[in-house]
Amino acid sequence: MPGTVIVGAQWGDEGKGKIVDLLAQNSDVVCRYQGGPNAGHTIVVGEETYKIRALPSGIVRGKPCVIGNGCVVDPEVLIDELDRFPDAEVYLSGNAHLIMPWHLAIDQASERRLGKLAIGTTKRGIGPCYADKAMRLGIRVQDILEPKILRQKIEVALAEKNLWLERVYESEPFDLETVAARYEGYAQRLRPYVADTSLYVETALRDGKDVLFEGAQATLLDLDHGTYPFVTSSNPVAAQAAIGLGIGPQRIDRVLGVAKAYLTRVGEGPFPSEIGGDEQARMRELGGEYGTVTGRERRCGWLDLVALRYAVRVNGIDKLALTKLDVLSHFGELPVCVRYQTPDGSETADFPAHQSDFHSAAPVYEVLQGWGEPLDSCSSVDDLPGAARDYVDFVERELGVEVTLVGTGAERTSVLSRT
Ligand code: IMP
């Protein structure tokens, strides 16, 4: 089973970094296939906490890492991470797009302009960069290989972007010489990493190596399958691993979904199982639910199996990792959303296909018993309190998918295997 996708099954922040870190131990290569520095993967190793945004999480295990063509790259962020891992073996796709300073400026200005209708982006220039890619106006990593071409492309892009910035967003324009000099500096540092990543990954797979495809963001933030427009601008779903790396879909052998034992969301948009008032604040504190990239408070809610069932479908998830079960130790009763009620009073177990139906969906809960004791001393699933095992079994039964990993704490070692 050499090609495994690890995909977020909710609204992100499920703890994918930690699961990738665990599986990377026995893998040969770890690849990112979409997204950019809007991701923030946290890995705790003893006293050290790694927060990684651009590189695949496998970097912490010293594995060869690939940044695929489906990613967008902020050179400043990537160089900062490469400085932190000087021995890293990194392969950077020449077809990945570069985040330019105007992408950050437009992301910020556009959110400001939308006011109450803002998406709540991470303001890292992700949307504008992918928009330029689709408009065929983007600057790609391979453009850094030739200084003359890089400068020309910056000049062409700036001629249009400065007009937008000044006239539409009433923001400051960018100076060509300053941007060109800054990016030439980045180019010198990044050139050695540029590679034919499609060939590299395909060769690794053909040689029988174990390759992890690490998703960033998550299913409900997917541009096509998420809760549009409150989504990111790429496709985190599992099938994108093939497109975002330049390999065939049959190279994906296994899809491991990662879901928190409860649910969080950053940014705007409907959230049927969101918890009200003080209870939400309590869960946020207990789970440390603050954005890795932005530091923003994450909205917190109960586990939503309607949404998770949908994630199983659109990704083809065949195994699930359920993380942060320990956070639920502090709650006496555990409501789990099993269906949605629609305004006409009927109930459905299927995720609504249309936005307005999702906006008006009300959660129908089944209340499970809490276990009320910490899980830190559990070294195998057999050590889990009965009610915690029942919780995991319930999820498994409702979804028809095996839960193979259970997260019980922040530490690297706090993941119990159920196989
Ligand atoms: P963008 O990706 O910065 O354009 O933000 C679009 C939406 O995706 C916003 O709601 C963000 O909060 C959300 N988002 C982007 N990256 C992450 C992530 O890594 N975790 C959780 N939410 C994210």
Side-chain angles (χ1 to χ4, degrees), residues 266-344:
V266 196
E268 304 309 315
F271 184 170
S273 65
E274 185 166 18
I275 303 173
D278 292 348
E279 194 84 328
Q280 168 159 182
R282 194 165 154 244
M283 187 179 266
R284 182 177 305 121
E285 284 313 311
L286 290 166
E289 297 297 353
Y290 296 90
T292 311
V293 178
T294 58
R296 284 183 295 176
E297 287 185 350
R298 295 179 186 146
R299 298 158 66 192
C300 299
W302 302 114
L303 185 64
D304 181 342
L305 291 178
V306 181
L308 207 45
R309 201 173 287 120
Y310 173 71
V312 168
R313 164 158 49 104
V314 296
N315 290 291
I317 290 173
D318 41 30
K319 302 270 193 266
L320 199 68
L322 201 62
T323 61
K324 298 185 99 165
L325 192 65
D326 53 305
V327 175
L328 297 183
S329 297
H330 303 269
F331 295 86
E333 290 192 327
L334 302 171
V336 175
C337 173
V338 287
R339 290 181 299 281
Y340 291 158
Q341 189 176 56
T342 56
D344 68 4

Side-chain angles (χ1 to χ4, degrees), residues 98-110 123-129 132-133 137-139 150-165 169 171-176 178-180 182-183:
L98 287 176
I99 297 177
M100 304 301 292
W102 51 85
H103 293 139
L104 292 138
I106 291 171
D107 201 355
Q108 284 160 20
S110 143
K123 301 199 176 77
R124 295 302 189 270
I126 308 299
C129 185
D132 276 356
K133 172 179 176 176
L137 265 180
I139 300 181
L150 179 63
R151 197 194 138 88
Q152 259 173 15
K153 294 211 169 176
I154 293 175
E155 191 171 4
V156 170
L158 262 188
E160 176 174 322
K161 298 299 169 186
N162 274 345
L163 277 180
W164 271 90
L165 281 167
Y169 293 119
S171 299
E172 288 299 307
F174 287 95
D175 172 57
L176 169 63
T178 313
V179 178
R182 191 172 135 202
Y183 273 68

Side-chain angles (χ1 to χ4, degrees), residues 173-195:
F174 287 95
D175 172 57
L176 169 63
E177 297 310 326
T178 313
V179 178
R182 191 172 135 202
Y183 273 68
E184 178 46 30
Y186 296 148
Q188 284 178 24
R189 178 78 171 85
L190 291 178
R191 268 178 208 130
Y193 297 99
V194 181

Side-chain angles (χ1 to χ4, degrees), residues 22 28 55 63 102 106 120 208 211 222 230 236-237 275 291 322 328 336 381:
L22 177 80
D28 301 296
L55 288 166
K63 300 292 173 170
W102 51 85
I106 291 171
V211 181
D222 186 278
F230 304 104
V237 293
I275 303 173
L322 201 62
L328 297 183
V336 175
V381 281

